[in-house]
Amino acid sequence: MKNLVVLTGAGMSAESGISTFRDSGGLWEQYRIEDVATPEAWRKNPELVLDFYNQRRRQLFEVVPNRGHEILHELEAFMTVKIITQNIDNLHEVAGSSSVLHLHGELLKVRSTGDDRLIYELSAEKPDIHLGDLCEKGFQLRPHIVWFGEAVPMISEAVDIVRTADVFLIIGTSLNVYPAAGLVEYVNSGVPIYLIDPKDVSYPGYRNIHPIKKGASEGMEEFKRIILNG
């Protein structure tokens, strides 16, 4: 079976109702990055940071995967599908995808500020974390998120996955956020690259990228036709 490797960004989940950061009306218009998504913000005002992610988590429990998520799962019947996502939601997993690597962390997990190995799952019954919520070693819990300015620990594993691609697919990402945007540089020469996004996306001109200028669901319908009929 061929290996399909997929890189997904905020546009993948936008049709499900997940607010995006960069688009007009997105979350950054309500919050400054520096105030909610950096280590400095956590040190300065951890209560605000926790509340920001508590809101995102409550929103996540109210949405469902869209048709784009579902088609990625359906393609597993025809090829090996490995997803690398910049998204912190769990919609790929809910849709049934079996191989998902989260580059920027996971919204439904929290971890100890004193021991990175202590990671805990949250649920719809207990979606929030607050100051005073501690790990078993007595350290404050924080969102299991890679903030701006922090290292991306899963990037090496992502590079290894990209190198196995027979087909590389990009969905709903501006290709502006590094190191994730740089993953396209590790696609082997001759491997076809498809990009699904309704907007114009800048990408390295030396790569032969096939644009599908549609949203995630419509774009995935078209990609499925291309890949299965080709």
Side-chain angles (χ1 to χ4, degrees), residues 6 9 42 89-90 114-115 120 125 134 138 147 153 156 163 172 187 208:
V6 187
W42 175 250
D89 63 64
N90 68 337
D115 187 340
Y120 306 89
E125 291 71 36
L134 310 178
W147 286 324
S156 294
R163 285 176 168 150
V187 179
N208 184 21

Side-chain angles (χ1 to χ4, degrees), residues 42 46 50 111-114 129-135 138-142:
W42 175 250
L50 291 176
R111 72 173 183 263
S112 168
T113 52
I129 52 173
H130 304 283
L131 285 181
D133 290 344
L134 310 178
C135 74
F139 296 102
Q140 173 67 41
L141 295 175
R142 59 158 278 180

Side-chain angles (χ1 to χ4, degrees), residues 68-121:
H69 292 107
E70 293 170 354
I71 293 173
L72 282 175
H73 169 54
E74 292 169 7
L75 286 175
E76 291 188 14
F78 306 96
M79 58 189 64
T80 300
V81 181
K82 297 179 181 178
I83 299 170
I84 302 165
T85 186
Q86 299 174 77
N87 299 334
I88 59 176
D89 63 64
N90 68 337
L91 295 180
H92 285 300
E93 290 90 341
V94 173
S97 290
S98 59
S99 178
V100 184
L101 184 149
H102 287 267
L103 277 180
H104 297 156
E106 298 179 61
L107 189 56
L108 297 185
K109 293 181 179 179
V110 294
R111 72 173 183 263
S112 168
T113 52
D115 187 340
D116 288 348
R117 298 169 297 177
L118 296 178
I119 301 169
Y120 306 89
E121 298 268 358

Side-chain angles (χ1 to χ4, degrees), residues 91-204:
L91 295 180
H92 285 300
E93 290 90 341
V94 173
S97 290
S98 59
S99 178
V100 184
L101 184 149
H102 287 267
L103 277 180
H104 297 156
E106 298 179 61
L107 189 56
L108 297 185
K109 293 181 179 179
V110 294
R111 72 173 183 263
S112 168
T113 52
D115 187 340
D116 288 348
R117 298 169 297 177
L118 296 178
I119 301 169
Y120 306 89
E121 298 268 358
L122 296 175
S123 66
E125 291 71 36
K126 188 184 182 300
D128 295 348
I129 52 173
H130 304 283
L131 285 181
D133 290 344
L134 310 178
C135 74
E136 61 209 60
K137 292 185 176 181
F139 296 102
Q140 173 67 41
L141 295 175
R142 59 158 278 180
H144 185 50
I145 304 295
V146 176
W147 286 324
F148 289 92
E150 291 186 319
V152 181
M154 302 304 291
I155 194 65
S156 294
E157 184 175 342
V159 167
D160 290 340
I161 293 171
V162 169
R163 285 176 168 150
T164 70
D166 297 311
V167 181
F168 190 68
L169 173 63
I170 305 164
I171 310 172
T173 173
S174 63
L175 294 179
N176 285 328
V177 178
Y178 283 82
L183 288 173
V184 69
E185 298 172 15
Y186 295 95
V187 179
N188 289 323
S189 177
V191 170
I193 303 174
Y194 294 86
L195 188 150
I196 296 173
D197 199 294
K199 302 183 296 296
D200 290 322
V201 177
S202 298
Y203 49 83

Side-chain angles (χ1 to χ4, degrees), residues 15-87:
E15 291 178 26
S16 292
I18 297 289
S19 297
T20 62
F21 287 138
R22 297 178 183 280
D23 291 339
S24 176
L27 294 177
W28 291 148
E29 291 190 2
Q30 305 169 44
Y31 299 90
R32 295 172 66 245
I33 293 173
E34 295 83 1
D35 292 338
V36 293
T38 63
E40 292 75 22
W42 175 250
R43 289 191 288 269
K44 180 181 177 182
N45 193 343
E47 194 166 14
L48 175 64
V49 174
L50 291 176
D51 182 61
F52 174 79
Y53 287 100
N54 288 342
Q55 291 181 53
R56 307 286 71 76
R57 208 172 292 113
R58 291 185 215 125
Q59 179 195 34
L60 179 56
F61 286 118
E62 297 174 355
V63 302
V64 296
N66 59 58
R67 183 67 184 133
H69 292 107
E70 293 170 354
I71 293 173
L72 282 175
H73 169 54
E74 292 169 7
L75 286 175
E76 291 188 14
F78 306 96
M79 58 189 64
T80 300
V81 181
K82 297 179 181 178
I83 299 170
I84 302 165
T85 186
Q86 299 174 77
N87 299 334

